[in-house]
Amino acid sequence: MPLKLSEAVYGNLLEKNYNKALSLGNRYSFINSNIFPLLNKEEQDLFMGFQDVCKKLLKEVNVDDAYEILPKLGEHYMLQRMNTYDGVVGSCKRQLLLNMAVNGMAPEVDMAMTASSILVGNSLYHNPDRNDIQEKALKEIYRGTKVGGIGITEPEHGSDAVNMKTTAKIAENGDITYNGTKIYTTNGAVADYFSTYGVTDISNPRRTMMLTLFKRDDPGLSTERLHIPAAHGVGIAKVNYDNITVTKDRMIAPPGEGYKRLFRGLTPERFAITTGTLGGVWHALATGTIYTQLRHQFGKPLFKYQGISHVLSDTYSELSAYTAFAMQIADFYDKKVGEKIHRGETPNAMDEATVAILAAQGKYLTTRMSHRATYEIVQLMGGRGAIDEPGSNNIINRGENISRLMEVLGGHRNIQRMIIEMGLKASTSMAIGSNIKKAKREQGKVEQNITQLVMARAEKMLSEEAQFLPDDEKANLSNAVNKLKAAVETNNKIEMAAYARVLPKVLSKAGKAVYKAKKAQ
């Protein structure tokens, strides 16, 4: 029987003075002194309200099961605050404050509730035509009485979410049948609802991607929990869809619309990951700053040593800047995108593209910083940073574990870089569009001249050195030359480009054969 973290006994390694100083209330106080200047009075009161609930619920958190506390958070409408629902106003700024509060109570809970209420919740919330079944699922997820898991990632299709292989078939009566496997589904091991993407034609995923709601007890659905030590207490799983059929009222988005919904959902998802990550680093920084002022070594506090304080200062500066950036993203999304979605309107395409790039930048920067910063603070604390005692206020080790996953969730960091690169290109396209076209034309002329030279060299070899060429090399070279000539004559640009790349390789191989034959004489 595996040992549960809550059953481990380490003794009293974290002395009472340290434990008291590292209380959740003290960590919140540290964060408030830095965050409050960026908030208005209403936002400050809201943040304090979230903190009060977390302090009251702290002792009820089960580190072996992040889901036990969700219904109690749901009673306070604290599983999501991104979307306005049930009379409670939502916005990205409110979601940021919620994640920062809950992460300090338990990073595992923050991860689990975000995957349920933001990822799955948004997929239901953003359906303007949701029916009673979908409304019931959304309400239960928001209240924490049920848990959701979203099905996007597949065993062979991680960041390449578009080209998924899970197939969906729609019968004449509207019934939907799924076959496929989703992997790394956060909450999948315990989820009651699964919001899952599939395609009706794997050769044309963009036009045929759809989104369907499944339940745990649907025949053909099975889950296998994955062992991921960094996410202790969170049920990440492999989910199998084996000829599972549900009625048409489970369709959240029809074929084609699913693709749009997927990418519209990724922006708020990445923002929620960003805010949860920031919350984790703020609590880690608070822990390190408090601890190093209490812990004495060689006759003075650790904080007095520049090797310690400079690490904390660097983290502090970087974290403050990223937090201000996240708040700017939140304001932009709320005003330009979120409010329109809440009113049932379609946001401006340029605004959606801009906020998608901003969200990618935020997630990339904060998650990259997170695991580095939390690791460094753990090192500053020595052995006490590596130990998580049951009931202790020192949770930095758990936060450091979770931080290792954040770069992968919501799209690998290289995918974020690709999105950011698109922003770089788009930012210059209007200004230098004519210059780009001119440079492309000039490069085309250069490549054309090179191709002509290669063609002339190949034809010369075929006429003057044919006796040194083996039959197969001669045939390959002749075929490449003839194919390229034909493409030029018919102005087939696709084949011209293809054979222009092939000919130099064939010519090089033929040249080696000629050299070898001449040397053998």
Side-chain angles (χ1 to χ4, degrees), residues 260-321:
K260 299 176 185 176
R261 203 76 61 79
L262 172 66
F263 283 93
R264 178 169 289 171
L266 284 173
T267 294
E269 174 188 343
R270 286 165 179 158
F271 179 77
I273 293 170
T274 296
T275 59
T277 300
L278 288 172
V281 184
W282 272 114
H283 282 278
L285 179 61
T287 299
T289 303
I290 292 169
Y291 179 80
T292 56
Q293 292 182 78
L294 301 179
R295 175 74 160 91
H296 283 65
Q297 194 74 55
F298 302 109
K300 60 181 179 179
L302 291 177
F303 194 82
K304 291 290 186 180
Y305 295 98
Q306 290 184 343
I308 302 291
S309 60
H310 285 184
V311 172
L312 295 171
S313 298
D314 286 347
T315 300
Y316 184 33
S317 301
E318 197 171 2
L319 179 57
S320 297

Side-chain angles (χ1 to χ4, degrees), residues 321-356:
Y322 290 165
T323 302
F325 179 44
M327 290 189 178
Q328 283 190 310
I329 299 173
D331 287 337
F332 186 97
Y333 182 88
D334 290 338
K335 293 175 184 177
K336 301 282 190 174
V337 178
E339 288 181 4
K340 290 190 175 183
I341 291 176
H342 293 165
R343 293 196 299 265
E345 302 173 4
T346 301
N348 178 276
M350 175 105 31
D351 290 338
E352 283 200 284
T354 299
V355 80

